Amino acid sequence: MSLNDCIELRHYLHQHPEVSQQEKETHRYLFQKLKALAPDDIKTVAATGILVVFYGERKGKNILFRADMDALPIEETITGPYVSTNEKVSHKCGHDGHSAVMFGLAQYFADNRLDQGNAVLLFQPAEENGWGARAVMESKILENLSIDYTVAFHNLP
């Protein structure tokens, strides 16, 4: 995936923001794109989140990468070709960018299979209201993955 592809994906997500626990179109769009990368495992988690796994050829460290994907119930204020099409909903915390960066990472792992260890990518829903992290933990989907390290990011607008 090129930088332009990541930008295009981010613009699409920015145009179609969905608030916490309602990320149905975001899930559908990202799941389809991620599945096309042929990861070793891909699952829905916490209703609208996505867990993607790329296994290495040999045992090693298991690293979880986490990004969020929900938007806020705030009117869009920017102008331009990728302005939000959902009235009174917009990506004000950059979660569209987080998801685009995470997709770029998934593309990297799809193109550069790991020799050792596993990469687990979590597209977490409902970060803004706190429900998503709780729902992921309650699902117990991470328990059997023996995560050694977690890399999660959030910007400071």
Side-chain angles (χ1 to χ4, degrees):
M1 170 172 265
S2 72
L3 177 59
N4 286 337
D5 291 332
C6 282
I7 292 169
E8 183 179 306
L9 185 133
R10 186 216 160 227
H11 287 178
Y12 177 87
L13 294 176
H14 193 91
Q15 278 187 295
H16 303 91
E18 296 172 299
V19 296
S20 297
Q21 296 174 262
Q22 295 178 25
E23 307 98 331
K24 291 179 179 69
E25 175 59 23
T26 302
H27 174 273
R28 185 202 63 74
Y29 178 79
L30 285 172
F31 197 95
Q32 177 184 359
K33 294 254 184 211
L34 290 161
K35 192 170 184 181
L37 300 178
D40 296 307
D41 198 6
I42 183 169
K43 294 179 172 122
T44 295
V45 59
T48 55
I50 305 168
L51 186 81
V52 180
V53 184
F54 293 94
Y55 294 117
E57 291 184 27
R58 295 174 306 180
K59 236 181 162 175
K61 299 293 184 187
N62 299 312
I63 303 175
L64 171 70
F65 299 90
R66 175 232 166 252
D68 31 32
M69 54 199 281
D70 55 335
L72 289 164
I74 299 174
E75 190 71 42
E76 179 71 273
T77 56
I78 68 166
T79 58
Y82 57 91
V83 66
S84 172
T85 59
N86 295 340
E87 190 176 333
K88 297 182 181 174
V89 180
S90 60
H91 276 289
K92 293 297 181 197
C93 284
H95 296 184
D96 53 335
H98 297 173
S99 290
V101 168
M102 184 75 95
F103 185 83
L105 184 60
Q107 179 66 54
Y108 176 83
F109 287 131
D111 293 343
N112 302 279
R113 298 303 255 185
L114 296 167
D115 292 329
Q116 186 175 0
N118 303 316
V120 180
L121 285 66
L122 173 62
F123 291 78
Q124 181 195 309
E127 185 271 342
E128 292 295 347
N129 69 5
W131 182 88
R134 189 170 44 252
V136 169
M137 297 311 293
E138 289 172 357
S139 77
K140 301 189 185 304
I141 198 165
L142 301 176
E143 283 187 357
N144 295 328
L145 295 174
S146 301
I147 302 299
D148 294 297
Y149 302 104
T150 300
V151 178
F153 64 93
H154 200 283
N155 60 342
L156 184 60

